[in-house]
Amino acid sequence: MRVVLALDGARASTLAEDLRLEGAEVRTVVAAGDPAAAVADAMAGPEAAELLGELARADLLIVAAGRGALTAELVGACDRFGVRIAPVCAREADRRLAAMFGLHPYSGDADAVALLRPPERPETAVESAPGGRVLAVWGPGGAPGRTTLAIELACELVRDGRRVGLVDADAHAPSLALATGLADEGPGFAAACRQAERGTLTVAELARIAAPLGDVEVLTGLNRPGRWPELSQARVAAALDVCRAWVDDTVVDVAAPLERDEEIVSDIDGPRRNAATLAALASADVVVAVVAADPVGVSRFVRDHAQLRAVVGATPVRVVVNKTRGGPLGIDARGQVRRTLERFAGIEDVWFVPWDGRAVDAALLSARPVAHVSPRSALTGALRRFVGEAVVPPIRKPVERRERGRTGLSARLLRTA
């Protein structure tokens, strides 16, 4: 294990020797505030740049907790690098600071063995309480409205008092942060995937790295599509398993491509560009498939539907026809789409979301969900019906028989029944 040690005084050299005796590779020993200063300004000098490089290659950062040493920028950088932080807390205020960042505090006299050992997972980890659902929102290429419907679906689910998480697992064109006005420089879903691979992802850690969107907790996506190898199939599946214990419903926005081209041309176990999409669909309890209500969008969906069914197997697929309007389809747009999907894809149950350009434009202008900007819009109403009928079916109470208005034989039969 590669360790960066940031402590002041004689304690630093003593602990470094103990760490080496335990088999750790101590890369560098610096003052407590140096890592935070290097992250804040890597151009301050060659020493800062060198320290930042060592931090990027490390597995563990042991740092003295304090306002100047343990900062939000340092925690965010370590999340991006996949570095575990072990804050050494000498005072109660230091412990509160570490807890604020969701870090496990270590006492000031903690030995090398304790610092090298990851903290035990809490009882709320996924192994002990797997109960939440995963809902994957997929659609073919051509912008049918996957991200918009994923955001509105999460906002609608949270109205019933559920705990809802919204995840951007699109490895091709992530846009959840842009659509909701959230910063995409935070750790987000990629950091959750890295920690899940190491087995250190917990519910508390998910709550720390998530960004709030009203009552919805959001794990933003990659800030650069070139980082797609970070979303491997094993990482994504493990992270979504922990999400089941984190919230009641996890809505996952995924990319369109479903191909496994890498497996065809090579048998080497390497990165797969579509691994995140395939892993999310395989982990989903419900798949919401989005169709654009125009001839091109319906044609693309029909062609990809068979491949989608091959990926998800027996998982329920709820088909939503988005941007429904008469312009590109003429008279009886809904009937034409319904008959086409039934004839060429065997889909009988379809839900329609109307074209509501004014509400969507207002949401994009303010970088907020449509449900927050136009709660009475046609789009919000259609999603509400869809959630009630297809995602969370209402409990149907038995209808009581009533005698009011009955006369003659029927009334006598009811009274004697």
Side-chain angles (χ1 to χ4, degrees), residues 3-5 26-30 34-58 61 81 83:
V3 179
V4 172
L5 186 59
V26 180
R27 300 290 300 181
T28 184
V29 180
V30 295
D34 286 356
V39 170
D41 187 6
M43 303 299 293
E47 296 83 3
E50 183 179 354
L51 175 57
L52 197 60
E54 291 292 348
L55 189 62
R57 293 186 290 269
L61 169 64
F81 296 150
V83 179

Side-chain angles (χ1 to χ4, degrees), residues 16 68 91 93 124-125 158 172 177 192 207 229 256 289 304 356 375 388-389 412:
R91 302 172 302 169
T124 51
V158 83
H172 287 262
D304 292 349
D356 196 348
E389 296 174 3
R412 291 196 298 273

Side-chain angles (χ1 to χ4, degrees), residues 378-403:
L379 186 149
T380 302
L383 259 297
R384 191 163 299 163
R385 289 192 297 271
F386 167 70
V387 170
E389 296 174 3
V391 181
V392 187
I395 300 176
R396 301 185 181 276
K397 297 181 180 179
V399 180
E400 297 180 358
R401 294 183 299 177
R402 303 175 61 184
E403 296 184 19

